[in-house]
């Protein structure tokens, strides 16, 4: 098959810039796509960590002026990826969170920063970089949402475009007065263009103008077509339902492999689950939990936000106490939730531990040492922590929403009798339903032989990128075949 060239555009890429799963996906998908004959180059903003990783890069394109200063596109390889970085110091030479300033608020020039990213993606799409003209430009989330718009309004020959929604809650809305500054023609401010409730909507633009729309699980693709879950964009998504599909994420099974994980005291696989006990002991020791192998240990690795149902979890903690379970949480986010969990840990000395912060080592230790991983999200486009949990044999206890519903098979009576089930799935999204899910998990825990069988099945789930890569490849090929036909 012919090689197909894709430009992937995003504002995060693991391991250099990551605030959540978006970075993981953008970092891992290209390697999986390569096996399908798709050559991907990834364009990201030149944040300090990215520029640092690309010390041997070459200049691929220059701008005398781009949104208020000189800029260039640099090209190079890093961490196995073919990267383009938009080196524009006046926009991106800012350490820390990619979207927020030191005061914790959005950078005031975010509209310009990500307009620049979209415009440069469109330029590369049209051949600005010598020797690389992609057949597909694939934009991820609102930060890249203007790429399809610039390509659409630029006229003439253009590559095919795909817009992927990782989270509909983040939409990138800016004042209409910026239209000319951003570089879009007056006609773009229209219902079938970038206009969104009187503002400019970056995600809306991508959803309206890309040739195809994908999101990161089939269930989320269905959910976002409803008023209840569409966050204002459901009308457009219903209208474009033929262009919309859900492709389930995978995880990087090299980064997440319990058999080789250097963060674990005792690496293991499905055939050697006894070796897992040492990881539970190490986690308990590291977090100051009582060294009790028999206490059912629930872990959480999450942003602490409303989306993730963390307030429900806080309310359901007495259900864990009632089961004599232990609780370990790693996360950052809303101040009220951080305080709530910190206090809950103080009240449960030796039985609950809360680490407020971002820490990859502890994230791996949680997956390798906790007995179960809780993901009680109110909505979840895909979710990656439950995929890691499956791979590590930490049984996922998840809400029946979005990608959580698509990836975890509830271990109910019928599932168990037909040797299926890989975790616990609960609904509705309430503290009571979560408490009952905790009780169900504890019931399963009492029968260690059955628990082991569940762990083995969880670990046998294919959470790699291979199926998703085949689907994206098919999508790209269908799109480009149509254009050349
Ligand atoms: P989202 O992108 O909505 O936050 P995902 O489940 O898709 O949720 O991805 C979250 C990713 O971020 C996972 O790789 C998870 O391990 C990681 N993560 C989240 N919080 C932390 C944290 N406090 N420390 C380390 N890793 C974290
Ligand atoms: C978003 C979603 C999460 C998804 C991730 C990667 O951050 O909240 O559910 O797994 O993107 O697609």
């Amino acid at each position: 098959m012919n090689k197909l060239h894709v430009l992937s555009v995003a504002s995060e890429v693991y391991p250099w810039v990551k605030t959540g799963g978006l970075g993981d996906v953008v970092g891992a998908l290209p390697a999986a796509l390569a096996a399908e004959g798709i050559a991907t180059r990834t364009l990201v903003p030149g944040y300090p960590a990215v520029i640092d990783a690309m010390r041997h890069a070459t200049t691929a394109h220059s701008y005398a002026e781009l949104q208020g200063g000189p800029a260039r596109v640099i090209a190079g390889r890093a961490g196995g990826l073919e990267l383009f970085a938009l080196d524009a110091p006046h926009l991106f030479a800012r350490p820390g969170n990619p979207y927020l300033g030191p005061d914790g608020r959005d950078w005031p020039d975010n509209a310009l920063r990500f307009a620049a990213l979209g415009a440069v993606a469109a330029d590369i799409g049209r051949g600005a970089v010598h020797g690389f003209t992609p057949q597909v430009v694939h934009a991820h989330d609102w930060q890249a949402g203007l790429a399809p718009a610039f390509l659409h309004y630029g006229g003439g020959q253009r590559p095919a475009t795909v817009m992927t929604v990782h989270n509909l809650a983040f939409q990138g809305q800016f004042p209409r007065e910026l239209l000319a500054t951003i570089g879009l023609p007056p006609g773009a401010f229209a219902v079938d263009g970038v206009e969104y409730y009187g503002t400019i909507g970056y995600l809306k633009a991508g959803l309206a103008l890309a040739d195809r729309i994908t999101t990161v699980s089939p269930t989320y693709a269905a959910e976002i077509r409803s008023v209840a879950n569409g966050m204002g964009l459901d009308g457009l998504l219903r209208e474009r339902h033929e262009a919309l599909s859900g492709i389930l994420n995978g995880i990087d099974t090299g980064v997440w492999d319990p058999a080789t994980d250097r963060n674990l005291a005792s690496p293991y696989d499905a055939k050697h689950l006894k070796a897992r006990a040492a990881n539970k002991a190490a986690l308990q020791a590291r977090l100051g939990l009582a060294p009790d192998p028999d206490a059912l240990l629930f872990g959480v690795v999450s942003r602490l936000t409303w989306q993730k149902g963390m307030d429900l979890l806080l309310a359901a903690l007495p259900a864990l106490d009632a089961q004599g379970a232990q609780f370990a949480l790693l996360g950052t986010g809303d101040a009220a939730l951080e305080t709530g969990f910190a206090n809950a840990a103080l009240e449960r000395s030796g039985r609950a531990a809360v680490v407020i912060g971002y820490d990859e080592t502890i994230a791996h230790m949680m997956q390798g040492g906790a007995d179960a991983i809780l993901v009680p999200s109110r909505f979840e486009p895909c979710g990656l922590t439950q995929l890691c949990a499956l791979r590590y044999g930490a049984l996922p206890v998840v809400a029946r929403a979005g990608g959580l519903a698509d990836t975890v098979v509830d271990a109910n009576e019928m599932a168990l009798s037909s040797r299926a089930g890989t975790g616990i799935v609960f609904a509705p999204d309430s503290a009571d339903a979560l408490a009952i899910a905790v009780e169900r998990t504890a019931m399963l825990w009492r029968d260690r032989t059955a628990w082991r069988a569940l762990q083995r099945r969880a670990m046998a789930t294919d959470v790699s990128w291979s199926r998703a890569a085949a689907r994206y490849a098919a999508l790209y090929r269908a799109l480009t075949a149509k254009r050349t036909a």
Side-chain angles (χ1 to χ4, degrees), residues 51 57-63 66 69-74 85-89 120:
I51 300 292
T58 54
T59 300
H61 190 64
S62 301
Y63 295 87
L66 180 74
R72 54 189 194 131
V73 176
I74 59 171
L86 174 52
D87 182 17
V120 169

Side-chain angles (χ1 to χ4, degrees), residues 209-220:
L209 300 167
D211 298 319
R212 290 291 183 90
I213 303 166
T214 73
T215 184
V216 288
S217 71
T219 292
Y220 194 60

Side-chain angles (χ1 to χ4, degrees), residues 12 19-26 140-141 164-168 170 215-217 220 247 249-250 303 307-308 377 379-387 403-404 465 472:
E12 299 185 24
T19 66
L22 170 68
D24 290 315
V25 171
V26 172
H140 297 270
D141 271 357
T164 292
V165 183
H166 294 264
N167 195 335
L168 210 58
F170 304 111
T215 184
V216 288
S217 71
Y220 194 60
I247 301 179
N249 284 335
R303 291 186 287 120
Q307 173 194 342
K308 300 291 179 181
S377 308
F379 70 93
E380 195 61 79
C382 180
L384 301 179
T385 46
Q386 85 281 10
L387 298 179
L404 300 173
W465 272 105
Y472 281 113

Side-chain angles (χ1 to χ4, degrees), residues 12 14 18-25 166-167 170 216 249 251 256 300-305 307-308 329-333 355-364 367 375 377 379-388 404:
E12 299 185 24
Y14 178 86
K18 160 172 160 177
T19 66
L22 170 68
D24 290 315
V25 171
H166 294 264
N167 195 335
F170 304 111
V216 288
N249 284 335
I251 52 171
W256 294 99
V300 175
V301 180
S302 182
R303 291 186 287 120
L304 303 182
T305 63
Q307 173 194 342
K308 300 291 179 181
L329 175 139
L330 167 67
T332 52
V355 181
I356 300 299
Y358 184 90
D359 188 315
E360 299 212 351
T361 299
I362 298 179
H364 283 248
Q367 297 287 1
V375 194
S377 308
F379 70 93
E380 195 61 79
C382 180
L384 301 179
T385 46
Q386 85 281 10
L387 298 179
C388 300
L404 300 173

Side-chain angles (χ1 to χ4, degrees), residues 420-434:
T422 56
I424 297 286
V425 184
F426 71 90
D429 51 353
S430 69
D432 287 343
L434 172 53

